Amino acid sequence: MRPPFPGRSMIEPEGETLDWGGKEFGTHRYHVRRLVDESIRLLGRPEKAVVLGAGNHGEVDLPALAVHFGQVTVMDSEDNMLQEWLESTGGLALSRLKSLTRVDYTGLDQISFYETYEEMLENGAPAAELAGYLRDCAFQVRRQERLLHLKKSFSLVVSSGVHTQLFYLYALTQFHGYMERYSASDIRQVMEALVYLRNGLVTDYNQLLLALLKPEGRVVAWTEMVLLDEAKKGIVDELYMLQSEQERTSYLFEVFGKYGLEAAVLGMKDLHDKLRSEQLLFHSWVWHTETGRTYLAAGLSGRPS
């Protein structure tokens, strides 16, 4: 496993202490809820839903989602509090919500990537050997079956901010502790290989999302796109000055291409290209995170082409 990285529902019990964001307006969770609700309305027959990357269920109003679907499966790559909450809640929530943790979205755990990578770093493997291993892993993981038993199982597949969290930050953190051993050209060689592997994992993840869908199901995905630091805060002001939706969308795509987080831009563009143009939803909003950072976020919803 990778290393750790430094109320509006009828099924909520009285006295519920968890905050599902149901009364918020204009926040990140409000925009997520709006995108999900619009997607549900476009579904012919809601049956089962799955949420990948729900974390400690802060972004998605899971009890509200369970009202629409007979079963909602929540997947996380790490442990979360959902199972504990379900057991204390009981009733309809326990019967309709299912929690799966330590889910390997990438296939890296199946090939013991993090252990092997750490061992190579500890043993001072040459940069060329490290880079070769990283590039080879991009092909190895494609041969691994991921969530095979759940393929074509869900009417709605929801990806909650996963694209930027899949791999890169964890692997970069591991490498950072050993960088002083390598020259500038060695570091560049390893970094290029890390990016190569990351890009393959991002597009493979999109394929996984679509593989989980039933015919005529919908996929919903969102992620942070641009960090709005002091130099980029004017982006939002310029966006609000534009008059038409077409102008705003064109401006957003330009901003994403110029300033966007690489994994987010690749992931959302690749997913966009895999979806039909009819009934395609695209939303963007400002996301104030708990860490104090502010992002321009984007969300997509559609059916596979």
Side-chain angles (χ1 to χ4, degrees):
M1 293 290 291
R2 68 188 183 194
F5 191 73
R8 60 196 190 93
S9 166
M10 68 179 71
I11 66 175
E12 276 192 281
E14 186 177 351
E16 171 58 56
T17 58
L18 291 177
D19 176 14
W20 300 98
K23 297 180 180 180
E24 296 177 355
F25 179 80
T27 65
H28 170 64
R29 293 196 293 188
Y30 166 81
H31 288 286
V32 165
R33 188 166 65 250
R34 179 181 165 213
L35 180 61
V36 171
D37 287 348
E38 288 182 23
S39 302
I40 293 172
R41 285 196 292 271
L42 291 171
L43 278 177
R45 186 181 175 188
E47 295 176 317
K48 294 182 179 181
V50 62
V51 181
L52 290 79
N56 284 319
H57 41 270
E59 293 187 347
V60 185
D61 187 344
L62 297 176
L65 198 60
V67 171
H68 296 283
F69 294 89
Q71 182 178 329
V72 177
T73 301
V74 182
M75 297 183 187
D76 280 311
S77 58
E78 308 291 344
D79 293 330
N80 63 34
M81 297 167 49
L82 181 58
Q83 191 60 44
E84 181 181 343
W85 177 81
L86 287 173
E87 291 171 358
S88 66
T89 301
L92 192 57
L94 184 58
S95 66
R96 289 195 177 183
L97 286 166
K98 179 181 179 182
S99 175
L100 300 178
T101 59
R102 299 187 175 272
V103 177
D104 179 16
Y105 303 134
T106 63
L108 290 173
D109 289 347
Q110 295 183 56
I111 64 172
S112 301
F113 167 78
Y114 291 102
E115 294 83 355
T116 303
Y117 179 51
E118 181 70 28
E119 184 177 347
M120 292 177 73
L121 289 169
E122 286 180 351
N123 293 335
E129 184 180 340
L130 270 172
Y133 172 70
L134 291 167
R135 291 178 181 273
D136 183 59
C137 284
F139 298 97
Q140 287 190 46
V141 293
R142 290 196 183 119
R143 296 196 292 265
Q144 308 305 314
E145 294 289 355
R146 285 161 293 163
L147 306 178
L148 182 62
H149 62 297
L150 294 175
K151 297 292 178 69
K152 297 183 179 180
S153 296
F154 303 99
S155 306
L156 188 73
V157 173
V158 179
S159 174
S160 177
V162 175
H163 288 100
T164 57
Q165 304 298 320
L166 265 180
F167 156 78
Y168 191 64
L169 293 176
Y170 304 94
L172 188 60
T173 299
Q174 282 182 276
F175 182 50
H176 187 269
Y178 300 91
M179 276 187 177
E180 61 184 20
R181 300 182 180 180
Y182 297 92
S183 68
S185 61
D186 287 341
I187 292 172
R188 185 166 55 252
Q189 186 177 11
V190 174
M191 293 294 290
E192 288 173 355
L194 283 169
V195 169
Y196 179 85
L197 175 54
R198 179 202 65 194
N199 291 352
L201 294 174
V202 168
T203 54
D204 288 351
Y205 173 72
N206 285 343
Q207 285 296 124
L208 175 64
L209 294 178
L210 300 182
L212 295 172
L213 279 177
K214 287 186 172 185
E216 297 305 308
R218 291 186 71 91
V219 63
V220 183
W222 60 84
T223 187
E224 66 271 41
M225 297 294 294
V226 177
L227 175 61
L228 295 175
D229 54 20
E230 287 297 327
K232 304 189 196 77
K233 284 186 176 179
I235 289 174
V236 177
D237 294 332
E238 288 192 46
L239 183 63
Y240 287 151
M241 291 176 63
L242 298 175
Q243 299 299 312
S244 71
E245 191 66 29
Q246 184 176 356
E247 285 180 309
R248 286 190 288 271
T249 300
S250 177
Y251 176 70
L252 281 169
F253 284 3
E254 180 183 343
V255 168
F256 294 159
K258 189 179 294 186
Y259 304 113
L261 303 171
E262 290 180 357
V265 173
L266 172 64
M268 295 300 276
K269 184 182 184 305
D270 176 72
L271 186 58
H272 177 275
D273 292 345
K274 288 179 166 67
L275 300 178
R276 302 179 198 173
S277 58
E278 62 269 19
Q279 293 189 335
L280 181 67
L281 302 177
F282 170 74
H283 290 206
S284 186
W285 59 89
V286 176
W287 179 1
H288 301 286
T289 68
E290 294 179 355
T291 63
R293 292 186 175 186
T294 300
Y295 292 93
L296 194 59
L300 282 174
S301 170
R303 289 187 168 95
S305 56

